[in-house]
Amino acid sequence: DHRTLKDIAFKYLGVTLDKSVRGTIIYKGLTEEVIHYALADVEHMLPIMEAQMRLIKEFNLERALSLENSFCRVLAYIEHSGIKLDMVKWLTKTNKNKNELLLAEDKLNAYLWDSGYKKYFDSQLSLFSTERICLMNWNSSTQVLEFFNSLGINTKEWKSGVERSSVDAKILEKQKGDFPIIALYLHYKELQKECSTYGENWLKYIEPTTGRIHTNFSQLMDTGRISSGDRTRDLPNMCNLPAGPETRECFVSEAGHSLIDCDYSGQETVVLANLSQDRGMIEFFKTGFGDQHSFVASKMFDELSDLTVDEIKTKHKDKRQLAKAAGFAIAYGGNGTTIARSCNISEAQGESVYNAYFKAFPDLPAYFKQVYQNAVA
């Protein structure tokens, strides 16, 4: 994944570049040695491009290259022009979030008291106030972990081959139906992040001379998406903002102009349908059956086969979610275990959903087999 000039020169040309001179420039200045060092870098640019173009043609990627090159100009324009943020709207949203955060904390404290967890409250009362003082710090993962474990909430996860305890949303989300406090806690943490990360301090990113936010965007990430921001230069990540309408409405256009918002619909499944040529998937996109995940559920579960996608979406959300989880997992090479962990169901149920997906789309197994064979060849 290294993309330095030294790495790609070796990858495409077998040339090893000597970078030792670079560390001397700061104190030697523009010497003859430094000039030759710079010339050596330029010398390899054209041969590298020619080697890359041969591969691009071999894999029929000319259209993809053209698209990326065109998009590069778009991102450069966005970086240069900046993004306008309405400060009044932002501060209004921030103040509202602060009030909601206090209410969310009160609800968590009330849950503790009403559920009989009196040890988390200060027993020393005040002569001047009847307010109960809660000693639980909901921002302390250590305290919250201890309390959640005492309730029987599963906080274990595997990361980089090591088991650890965590109160991350992805772990707790699956257990909301069993423990009402989880929904209260996740709502509190969401508001807390909005107030801290996306509060008044976000206004520091507005450049005084332009009145806009300027950041960077990087193309060609491994996920096929773009990335944004740079911590070393204190540039904000514009791809990770809260998705709610109140946040989006704070980003505005100049008078007489409009902001256009667009997004892919089921991008992963579209790509999978094109590559696999599965007839069932192509049927969906050709006829436009509406909600994609509901359509997949109708194919996976016999009891839903006679229902409309709208009926499935409103009345069978559980099965729609299973179909959605299966689609994402399988598109990225997952299996029944992946689905089970994603949906908080047993391994056997995950395997059943996995098999139902392939039964619904019978052309997929042959495609994945071919992909596997190509990968190991």
Side-chain angles (χ1 to χ4, degrees):
D1 258 293
H2 297 291
R3 300 188 181 101
T4 65
L5 179 59
K6 181 179 180 180
D7 292 322
I8 62 175
F10 183 79
K11 176 179 179 180
Y12 292 106
L13 307 178
V15 174
T16 301
L17 298 180
D18 182 5
K19 292 292 181 179
S20 59
V21 177
R22 182 172 55 188
T24 68
I25 296 175
I26 191 170
Y27 59 87
K28 282 187 176 181
L30 195 61
T31 63
E32 184 175 341
E33 183 184 28
V34 169
I35 293 173
H36 282 291
Y37 163 77
L39 287 172
D41 276 357
V42 177
E43 175 188 1
H44 300 292
M45 293 295 190
L46 184 59
I48 288 172
M49 186 196 75
E50 290 171 343
Q52 290 175 328
M53 286 304 301
R54 286 193 291 270
L55 285 174
I56 285 169
K57 290 177 181 178
E58 180 183 342
F59 290 101
N60 194 28
L61 293 172
E62 291 95 335
R63 288 181 64 193
L65 175 63
S66 176
L67 177 63
E68 291 291 351
N69 286 340
S70 297
F71 188 47
C72 183
R73 293 193 290 269
V74 174
L75 288 180
Y77 176 78
I78 295 173
E79 289 184 9
H80 173 74
S81 299
I83 302 164
K84 188 173 182 180
L85 179 67
D86 188 314
M87 293 179 61
V88 175
K89 288 184 177 179
W90 189 267
L91 289 173
T92 300
K93 175 189 77 80
T94 299
N95 290 331
K96 180 184 176 184
N97 287 338
K98 285 181 178 178
N99 292 330
E100 290 183 355
L101 179 63
L102 292 174
L103 291 173
E105 185 175 10
D106 288 342
K107 287 182 179 178
L108 282 169
N109 295 341
Y111 178 91
L112 285 181
W113 183 266
D114 296 339
S115 301
Y117 297 100
K118 304 295 195 302
K119 69 176 183 177
Y120 291 103
F121 291 84
D122 192 346
S123 58
Q124 182 66 48
L125 300 178
S126 170
L127 293 174
F128 307 101
S129 174
T130 58
E131 182 183 359
R132 295 188 297 267
I133 305 299
C134 183
L135 304 177
M136 169 68 79
N137 179 5
W138 296 106
N139 293 321
S140 168
S141 58
T142 302
Q143 290 187 35
V144 175
L145 273 171
E146 180 185 351
F147 175 56
F148 279 6
N149 288 333
S150 72
L151 297 179
I153 295 175
N154 179 23
T155 59
K156 301 294 184 183
E157 71 166 346
W158 284 90
K159 195 163 188 177
S160 302
V162 178
E163 186 182 63
R164 66 167 197 157
S165 295
S166 172
V167 287
D168 287 348
K170 64 179 181 291
I171 301 173
L172 301 178
E173 189 79 34
K174 307 165 189 176
Q175 305 173 72
K176 283 199 302 186
D178 300 321
F179 302 94
I181 194 172
I182 290 180
L184 297 175
Y185 175 73
L186 292 179
H187 181 58
Y188 169 82
K189 293 301 292 182
E190 184 180 328
L191 288 167
Q192 197 268 340
K193 184 175 182 179
E194 287 231 16
C195 291
S196 57
T197 306
Y198 305 109
E200 291 101 326
N201 62 329
W202 190 264
L203 299 177
K204 71 180 180 182
Y205 295 121
I206 299 177
E207 170 59 43
T209 55
T210 65
R212 289 167 170 254
I213 295 175
H214 299 266
T215 189
N216 72 324
F217 294 94
S218 301
Q219 289 175 255
L220 299 175
M221 308 305 293
D222 293 338
T223 58
R225 301 173 182 269
I226 64 172
S227 67
S228 170
D230 187 337
R231 290 184 179 179
T232 61
R233 293 188 289 158
D234 198 25
L235 298 177
N237 182 358
M238 300 301 295
C239 296
N240 200 35
L241 285 158
E246 288 184 330
T247 299
R248 292 190 173 193
E249 287 171 5
C250 294
F251 295 92
V252 297
S253 61
E254 296 287 356
H257 295 73
S258 298
L259 280 175
I260 299 174
D261 181 13
C262 56
D263 193 8
Y264 283 107
S265 176
Q267 182 183 17
E268 289 85 359
T269 310
V270 173
V271 172
L272 184 58
N274 273 287
L275 293 175
S276 68
Q277 290 295 297
D278 181 271
R279 287 163 290 181
M281 288 186 172
I282 293 173
E283 173 193 355
F284 170 79
F285 292 111
K286 279 187 173 180
T287 53
F289 281 124
D291 181 66
Q292 182 185 125
H293 303 304
S294 297
F295 168 77
V296 173
S298 73
K299 294 287 187 179
M300 290 176 59
F301 304 105
D302 293 338
E303 63 271 29
L304 306 182
S305 59
D306 295 329
L307 301 179
T308 66
V309 290
D310 290 334
E311 288 174 325
I312 296 171
K313 187 174 183 179
T314 56
K315 299 178 181 178
H316 297 276
K317 294 181 180 180
D318 56 337
K319 289 185 173 60
R320 179 186 180 277
Q321 181 58 35
L322 290 174
K324 181 179 179 180
F328 283 126
I330 291 170
Y332 286 102
N335 52 26
T337 301
T338 313
I339 297 169
R341 290 176 179 173
S342 173
C343 299
N344 196 33
I345 56 180
S346 68
E347 295 270 347
Q349 289 173 309
E351 196 65 30
S352 177
V353 172
Y354 179 81
N355 292 332
Y357 192 90
F358 279 108
K359 183 180 178 182
F361 303 106
D363 297 328
L364 285 183
Y367 164 71
F368 279 110
K369 182 178 180 181
Q370 185 61 49
V371 169
Y372 174 79
Q373 290 173 343
N374 291 342
V376 299

